[in-house]
Amino acid sequence: RCREEGIANILRIVADAEHIPLANESCDLAVCSEVIEHIFDPEHAIEEMKRVLKGKGFLLLSTPNHEGLTTWRVATAPLRLLRKARSFFTSSAPSTEKYTYDVPIPSRRLRSYFERGFQIVDFEFNAILPPESYFRGVPRLLTRFIVNFIARLEPYLKPVAARLSLHVVVRCQKDPLTP
């Protein structure tokens, strides 16, 4: 896409986040979108991103919100119980869902990862709607009502509803005085 738009100064690298194959202080910007929760040692990966950032370079990071996912799991427990009961009385095939290494990081711990060597510019909680998978087996009309209701409230709830948000978005700047 960069070639199509005539942008030449962007380098896209797919690599192990705990061992980034770049020289120290070689990037102005690092983006880590929905990845950190899949990394064995997220703190080390953030240190690696800091290492490759130039002084005053920016890191943009997004990740699932541990607290929000927990809140939605509890809030939707009756729906999931109803779905299980319903499947008990119908002849449905066993679930084929596969689980991946996915460990959302509590927001307090995530924030602590940026305390050494970064200045947090934004630490924002986003997206209050629960994942669609939480509504599997729920009548479509009820699902639409819930989704539309929450979507209308989201702009008003967002500033005070961190416990309901599904994602954390962090924008931070490297402190040029730390190595």
Side-chain angles (χ1 to χ4, degrees), residues 65-75 80 134 163 166:
N65 178 16
H66 176 269
E67 293 85 351
L69 291 170
T70 301
T71 300
W72 280 111
R73 243 182 254 113
V74 170
R80 288 182 285 119
Y134 282 39
R163 299 264 328 151
L166 292 173

Side-chain angles (χ1 to χ4, degrees), residues 106-162:
S107 59
R108 196 173 286 165
R109 184 180 314 147
L110 182 64
R111 189 180 286 272
S112 76
Y113 293 161
F114 300 103
E115 288 176 352
R116 292 182 312 277
F118 282 106
Q119 177 183 14
I120 296 174
V121 177
D122 292 309
F123 196 96
E124 182 177 301
F125 296 93
N126 270 338
I128 294 173
L129 284 174
E132 285 182 34
S133 63
Y134 282 39
F135 296 109
R136 246 185 255 131
V138 175
R140 193 170 194 73
L141 189 60
L142 180 58
T143 299
R144 283 189 181 154
F145 172 78
I146 293 169
V147 168
N148 287 329
F149 180 74
I150 294 173
R152 289 177 196 260
L153 289 178
E154 188 166 17
Y156 306 103
L157 293 174
K158 190 174 175 181
V160 294

Side-chain angles (χ1 to χ4, degrees), residues 13 27-35 49 53 58-62:
I13 296 175
C27 299
D28 295 311
L29 172 69
V31 177
C32 183
S33 179
E34 306 301 310
V35 172
M49 291 174 224
L53 284 173
F58 282 92
L59 169 60
L60 301 177
L61 182 139
S62 67

Side-chain angles (χ1 to χ4, degrees), residues 31-99:
V31 177
C32 183
S33 179
E34 306 301 310
V35 172
I36 202 77
E37 68 277 7
H38 299 284
I39 297 172
F40 180 73
D41 186 353
E43 189 171 15
H44 180 72
I46 290 170
E47 284 294 317
E48 266 295 279
M49 291 174 224
K50 182 177 76 175
R51 180 187 67 77
V52 301
L53 284 173
K54 293 178 182 176
K56 294 194 173 192
F58 282 92
L59 169 60
L60 301 177
L61 182 139
S62 67
T63 186
N65 178 16
H66 176 269
E67 293 85 351
L69 291 170
T70 301
T71 300
W72 280 111
R73 243 182 254 113
V74 170
T76 59
L79 295 174
R80 288 182 285 119
L81 184 61
L82 179 66
R83 185 172 65 218
K84 278 189 178 189
R86 195 168 137 197
S87 69
F88 180 77
F89 293 107
T90 61
S91 58
S92 60
S95 174
T96 58
E97 290 182 16
K98 293 188 179 174
Y99 297 95

